[in-house]
Amino acid sequence: MNRPADRAIETMERRGIFQVVDLAHILREKHADYQQPNLLDNHQFQQAFQQQQHLLDQIPATTAESGDNMIRSRASDPLGGDEFESKSGSENVDGVSVDDQDPNQRPRKKRYHRHTQHQIQEMEAFFKECPHPDDKQRKELSRELGLEPLQVKFWFQNKRTQMKNQHERHENSQLRSENEKLRAENMRYKEALSSASCPNCGGPAALGEMSFDEHHLRIENARLREEIDRISAIAAKYVGKPMVPFPVLSNPLAAAASRAAPLDLPMAPYGGVVPGDMFGGGASAGELLRGVQSEVDKPMIVELAVAAMEELVRMAQLEEPLWSAAAPALDAPAALETLNEEEYARMFPRGLGPKQYGLRSEASRDSAVVIMTHANLVEILMDANQYAAVFSNIVSRAATLEVLSTGVAGNYNGALQVMSVEFQVPSPLVPTRESYFVRYCKQNSDGTWAVVDVSLESLRPSPVLKCRRRPSGCLIQEMPNGYSKVTWVEHVEVDDRSVHNIYKLLVNSGLAFGARRWVGTLDRQCERLASVMASNIPTSDIGVITSAEGRKSMLKLAERMVMSFCGGVTASVAHQWTTLSGSGAEDVRVMTRKSVDDPGRPPGIVLNAATSFWLPVPPKRVFDFLRDESSRSEWDILSNGGIVQEMAHIANGRDQGNCVSLLRVNSSNSNQSNMLILQESCTDASGSYVIYAPVDVVAMNVVLNGGDPDYVALLPSGFAILPDGPAHGGGLQGADGGGGVVGSGGSLLTVAFQILVDSVPTAKLSLGSVATVNSLIACTVERIKAAVSGESNPQ
């Protein structure tokens, strides 16, 4: 074992790989040894040689090949082999050819040339940018670093292998950890199953001992838990974050405003408030998100949303005895369905629990086929801005406070978000309803989509609860040719004792905030959006705008006008109305706003004035009278008796009353320039609107040519016409303040003006401006009453 040949064999056996190239040298050395005298005789030499040959015959071919490859790679690869891997590729090897050696000399020891720190850093930096350099890049890098291109190539190959191994080790570690968690969870489930007991006798339970109904209940319970687990997994990353509480609804400025004199009217910024100002009397959005008073349990929200979804789908599909409908009136589109409260409590014991004391239950359901795909409908409902724009006559403000889940598979399936919304009726006599709820969207197994809201007021401190939203929303079924069938359910509990008498019958019937109003508005808005995309516009009609860009710009401008009108006429908590008394008018309310740096409104002080009253005339007659340009001079004082002519119009619905018009007032006084008026009239089963605003001639020419309508200054005024109650309902004698009967088929008319009283935003409001606006609205009301009631025109 002291001979060099034996030591070489021992080394090869220890490594497990015979270096075949070195075998020639070993044999030469052995042969040389036996040439020396007094060492071994010829018989011993042959014995040793046969023993080594036997060992070589036992080497597998693959092992020999791998050894051969290893020697070649070690001779040329700076990073190859186990010895070099520990050196991180920083060494190079100079091998000496066996054929060039003297048989009588011992082989020279291999020399290692370590790469310099600069070379390593440069190759590391280049590897981060490009792990797979091409030939040109390798040659360039080798010239810069003073290396051979082959050395650079092998360095990058081994670096990639090293990174791959590290990545695989990291993945294995993660999978091992995940496997341990699953094993532990499996053990917990097994222990829970083994300790299950019968609820009746307390003994161990078996599936065969369960009744048929109990078995199905357990299956249903498992399905619901799977639904909860799925949504909880989506929202898991949000667990632990503070939820936005619903702040106390208090606005001390409103009370002060009601007692203020006209010259001390509180000024409000024009255009509403930021989402943070929505509740709490002016807190910023950041203060609202930071003002956390209690931690909201996210799993509780998820479980509440899943239960609400199940309830909504069943309420949308079930008929009697849950829902009952009276016979519709002759002129009514359909009968209003009434919810059986006892049946509801029996069928849906979960959820928000029993009705709270002092709140009135209000439930309604309606359906319609609308010209819009289910995907677009879902997007509108899940986007707070689109939601507020499409339902601008019902939603005064909407804000998404927190998104718990954005959905899966690239759509809104499973989307979950916390919202705060203020619902309105276009009149300062009906208080708005603020609601704080979670909105959940889901695609059902039958392909239908559902979007449900359920209140979260129980999860936040509130001294007074005026509105609680039970599971409400819509079920959307896809129809051919881009249509969808929408079934809407509205179910709330409210305190509506502060509603004015003339609106009580409308509100109590569910028409003011109910499903029919939502469905009617959605149907009309879908027709309006379809008209924007229409390409088959008849060119024979006079005044029809045929340019696609012109139609789109004009409809966008009209949409902004309608939203501005609806947002400035309600009894929102952001509005600080002051009632003018002693004027002889019917409770005219005024409010001032400042307009600064808003290209969509003229700068200065704007005075809003609004009043609501009852007319013993059907809503359709009032709507046709107010939208007709030929009868405009009978009520429009600002037109000065001029002739009103329609220059252009865009039809945006089946009803001929749904259109956007551009009117020109030809003044009888030659000294006055002609005035343009943009007007939109719209009607559906829940109500009608006629909204208009004076516009600049130059600006409208830009809009008609497809220009940007956002820079056209508007101050909209107009009318909101609602029925005074259900068509088949009884009336309230004297509820209008006189001898009329509200609910006998009459109309509730709201008149609202926005007038620029001073072009300087810092100017003081004069008493004369308030008196002028008050006189204007009072005179307009009297003219409308005289015209539609058949009375003689005022002098």
Side-chain angles (χ1 to χ4, degrees), residues 502-515:
I502 65 173
Y503 280 91
K504 277 191 178 294
L505 191 58
L506 178 71
V507 173
N508 293 343
S509 67
L511 290 174
F513 294 95

Side-chain angles (χ1 to χ4, degrees), residues 565 690-692 716-720 750-753:
F565 173 83
V690 178
I691 303 168
Y692 63 92
S717 302
F719 309 94
T750 298
V751 182
F753 290 145

Side-chain angles (χ1 to χ4, degrees), residues 94 99 205 215 319 406 570:
D94 260 354
D99 297 334
H215 177 52
E319 299 296 337
T406 56
T570 63

Side-chain angles (χ1 to χ4, degrees), residues 289-527:
L289 294 173
R290 290 192 300 269
V292 179
Q293 300 177 1
S294 63
E295 285 290 329
V296 179
D297 192 359
K298 301 291 197 311
M300 185 184 301
I301 294 178
V302 172
E303 188 171 359
L304 185 64
V306 172
M309 177 62 70
E310 181 190 10
E311 178 176 323
L312 172 73
V313 172
R314 295 181 64 189
M315 288 189 68
Q317 295 174 344
L318 294 176
E319 299 296 337
E320 293 185 353
L322 184 63
W323 294 96
S324 60
L330 295 178
D331 57 345
L336 292 174
E337 293 183 297
T338 305
L339 180 67
N340 187 327
E341 295 288 343
E342 294 181 359
E343 188 68 17
Y344 170 80
R346 186 189 69 80
M347 295 181 65
F348 305 104
R350 303 194 325 164
L352 297 182
K355 181 174 65 176
Q356 292 198 3
Y357 177 77
L359 299 183
R360 181 182 64 85
S361 179
E362 183 180 298
S364 58
R365 182 176 71 171
D366 202 5
S367 62
V369 176
V370 300
I371 180 170
M372 184 173 287
T373 63
H374 66 280
N376 290 337
L377 288 172
V378 169
E379 182 180 358
I380 288 173
L381 295 173
M382 299 305 295
D383 187 313
N385 293 329
Q386 294 188 56
Y387 176 67
V390 172
F391 298 101
S392 59
N393 61 328
I394 307 176
V395 177
S396 59
R397 283 168 300 171
T400 300
L401 302 182
E402 187 168 0
V403 178
L404 302 181
S405 170
T406 56
V408 294
N411 55 37
Y412 287 98
N413 186 22
L416 195 69
Q417 58 193 36
V418 179
M419 300 181 68
S420 55
V421 178
E422 186 181 41
F423 304 103
Q424 65 180 359
V425 169
S427 172
L429 302 183
V430 181
T432 55
R433 297 177 177 179
E434 298 109 342
S435 187
Y436 171 67
F437 56 83
V438 59
R439 175 164 290 181
Y440 173 40
C441 176
K442 177 190 174 186
Q443 184 179 18
N444 300 309
S445 57
D446 59 355
T448 60
W449 286 78
V451 179
V452 65
D453 303 339
V454 61
S455 275
L456 297 177
E457 271 87 358
S458 58
L459 304 179
R460 55 119 182 148
S462 176
V464 179
L465 180 61
K466 292 189 176 182
C467 179
R468 188 165 75 152
R469 194 164 175 79
R470 284 189 175 272
S472 304
C474 63
L475 188 66
I476 305 170
Q477 179 183 355
E478 186 178 5
M479 303 286 286
N481 301 322
Y483 284 79
S484 300
K485 181 181 180 181
V486 179
T487 302
W488 202 289
V489 175
E490 278 293 307
H491 191 188
V492 297
E493 294 170 357
V494 294
D495 177 9
D496 54 8
R497 288 173 292 183
S498 56
V499 175
H500 195 277
N501 283 338
I502 65 173
Y503 280 91
K504 277 191 178 294
L505 191 58
L506 178 71
V507 173
N508 293 343
S509 67
L511 290 174
F513 294 95
R516 176 159 297 179
R517 189 169 174 224
W518 286 95
V519 170
T521 300
L522 179 62
D523 188 20
R524 173 171 53 82
Q525 289 284 51
C526 288
E527 291 182 354

Side-chain angles (χ1 to χ4, degrees), residues 72 76 105 141 219 257 259 303 455 533 559 561 575 685:
R72 287 196 299 269
S76 59
Q105 292 182 354
L141 192 59
I219 294 176
R259 299 188 297 269
E303 188 171 359
S455 275
M533 309 303 296
E559 180 186 47
M561 178 181 68
H575 296 168

